[in-house]
Amino acid sequence: MLLATFVLQARPAHGAASQPTPLSGSARPVIAQFLVRQTSGLPGRVVITLDTPQSGALPPCATVEPFLPGGARLWGRVSVGVRCSQDQPWTRYVPAYIAVMGSYYVAARPINAGQALMPDDIAVRQGDLTTLPASVIGDPAQLNGVIASNRIASGAPIRQELLRGITVVKRGQTVKVVTQGAGFLVSTIGKVMTSSAAGKMVQVKIQGGRLLSGIVRPDGTIERPN
């Protein structure tokens, strides 16, 4: 995973045709540092742009207090509250843009529905993740052992809802169930109750009709938590 770094830009990173006026004045670094702290958990390179409110430059204030309006998400276009509690208190809202530059995966060539994804089918791209659907794949581990459930055009971002796991075990199949702990390993045989992909929880009926639950391994073994 990429480590977060922060860049404060004077001009919008989102390439608007008519660019707003960059925020200036002593409140700007205070707001910027507030946003840096608030976005510290985001992956990738965070680029913060601050613009002057439509009402104009912020009034003078010795100590400004930035805050987030209720429900605000620091992702893409946001509005940051700024208040002053001096003799003539005021509250303004500063337009900001939070870009998160990181890696995501696209189809390197057309991928048909039902096709298992191979390394040559995917390519990594860099871009502003805030402009993409939240389900876009950014972790290559999520592309292991998956099939396209829909056709994916060449160059299109690969999204979670377009994929499904490859079926590793089928309903009624005889499987080995293993339970492993400190210094011991116990195994038994049973029939899996549902078809499933690797990493999913399934139930297995063993001799005597008892049902056991476990995680499907890539080799088809069912591993029980101990």
Side-chain angles (χ1 to χ4, degrees), residues 167-202:
T167 299
V168 174
V169 294
K170 295 183 178 181
R171 181 179 180 181
Q173 178 180 334
T174 299
V175 295
K176 178 189 288 188
V177 182
V178 299
T179 304
Q180 187 172 1
F184 73 90
L185 174 65
V186 179
S187 66
T188 188
I189 299 296
K191 292 186 181 296
V192 70
M193 302 301 292
T194 55
S195 300
S196 180
K200 302 295 184 179
M201 179 76 74
V202 295

Side-chain angles (χ1 to χ4, degrees), residues 12-25:
H14 42 288
S18 179
Q19 294 181 344
T21 304
L23 182 69
S24 60

Side-chain angles (χ1 to χ4, degrees), residues 25-172:
S26 59
R28 182 171 183 266
V30 178
I31 301 169
Q33 288 304 312
F34 170 76
L35 291 177
V36 166
R37 292 192 300 270
Q38 293 294 318
T39 56
S40 61
L42 297 177
R45 186 169 63 95
V46 178
V47 181
I48 300 171
T49 303
L50 298 176
D51 298 324
T52 299
Q54 291 185 351
S55 58
L58 298 179
C61 182
T63 304
V64 295
E65 179 187 351
F67 65 94
L68 291 178
R73 184 191 182 201
L74 292 178
W75 188 268
R77 294 183 184 275
V78 296
S79 184
V80 183
V82 184
R83 65 169 63 97
C84 178
S85 301
Q86 291 182 330
D87 295 338
Q88 295 182 333
W90 52 261
T91 299
R92 298 287 188 276
Y93 292 90
V94 174
Y97 188 85
I98 311 295
V100 181
M101 311 304 293
S103 300
Y104 64 97
Y105 287 84
V106 302
R109 54 193 178 190
I111 302 172
N112 295 319
Q115 178 181 331
L117 268 66
M118 305 301 290
D120 290 344
D121 295 324
I122 61 176
V124 65
R125 294 286 185 269
Q126 296 288 324
D128 182 1
L129 302 183
T130 71
T131 65
L132 300 172
S135 59
V136 166
I137 300 294
D139 181 357
Q142 294 179 284
L143 298 173
N144 294 332
V146 296
I147 291 174
S149 56
N150 296 84
R151 188 178 188 279
I152 306 175
S154 178
I158 301 176
R159 309 193 310 273
Q160 294 175 6
E161 63 268 24
L162 301 179
L163 307 173
R164 60 181 173 85
I166 295 175
T167 299
V168 174
V169 294
K170 295 183 178 181
R171 181 179 180 181

Side-chain angles (χ1 to χ4, degrees), residues 169 173-177 188-194 201-207 209-216 220-224:
V169 294
Q173 178 180 334
T174 299
V175 295
K176 178 189 288 188
V177 182
T188 188
I189 299 296
K191 292 186 181 296
V192 70
M193 302 301 292
T194 55
M201 179 76 74
V202 295
Q203 287 189 318
V204 179
K205 181 181 287 188
I206 63 173
Q207 188 174 7
R210 182 186 175 193
L211 291 176
L212 302 178
S213 297
I215 303 295
V216 182
T221 301
I222 311 302
E223 181 178 5
R224 295 191 66 209

